[in-house]
Amino acid sequence: MEEDLFKALADPTRRVILDELTGRNGQSLFEICARLATRHGLALSRQAVSQHLAVLETAGLVTPRREGRYKFHDLDPRPLEHIVTRWLAPAPPEDTP
């Protein structure tokens, strides 16, 4: 699971998609494509954005939600919280000889 998370975060385009979902959660593929083009100058095909979203879904960072014929994407920060608590938790006391 952590490998999928780090793979997802390694790509700058996927990080921009996460930024956009942080700013406005529950976007459709069309909305994400439009925001990437207008706000970031990223002219990606819908298929390319869909593939990025699939990687983010595999990592557990994005959850798809269907309403009728539309599919919306919601940010799920829980996998990031796990990583943060893993490395930023207080260190156990060291044994002193």
Side-chain angles (χ1 to χ4, degrees):
M1 173 96 167
E2 288 178 3
E3 289 179 25
D4 292 334
L5 179 62
F6 287 115
K7 175 185 174 186
L9 294 173
D11 187 275
T13 301
R14 289 192 281 270
R15 292 193 304 268
V16 170
I17 292 170
L18 291 174
D19 289 340
E20 287 301 322
L21 289 174
T22 299
R24 185 170 170 276
N25 212 11
Q27 296 182 56
S28 68
L29 176 61
F30 176 80
E31 291 171 309
I32 293 169
C33 290
R35 289 172 75 98
L36 292 177
T38 58
R39 300 177 102 198
H40 304 280
L42 296 173
L44 300 170
S45 68
R46 289 172 51 120
Q47 181 180 7
V49 174
S50 183
Q51 289 172 346
H52 282 300
L53 287 167
V55 173
L56 292 168
E57 287 175 30
T58 299
L61 292 167
V62 171
T63 304
R65 167 176 50 91
R66 284 212 176 265
E67 288 183 19
R69 63 181 222 182
Y70 297 101
K71 183 178 179 182
F72 298 96
H73 303 86
D74 296 306
L75 177 67
D76 185 354
R78 289 179 295 178
L80 295 173
E81 292 168 359
H82 171 72
I83 295 297
V84 168
T85 57
R86 175 182 171 183
W87 280 310
L88 297 181
E94 292 188 31
D95 293 333
T96 53

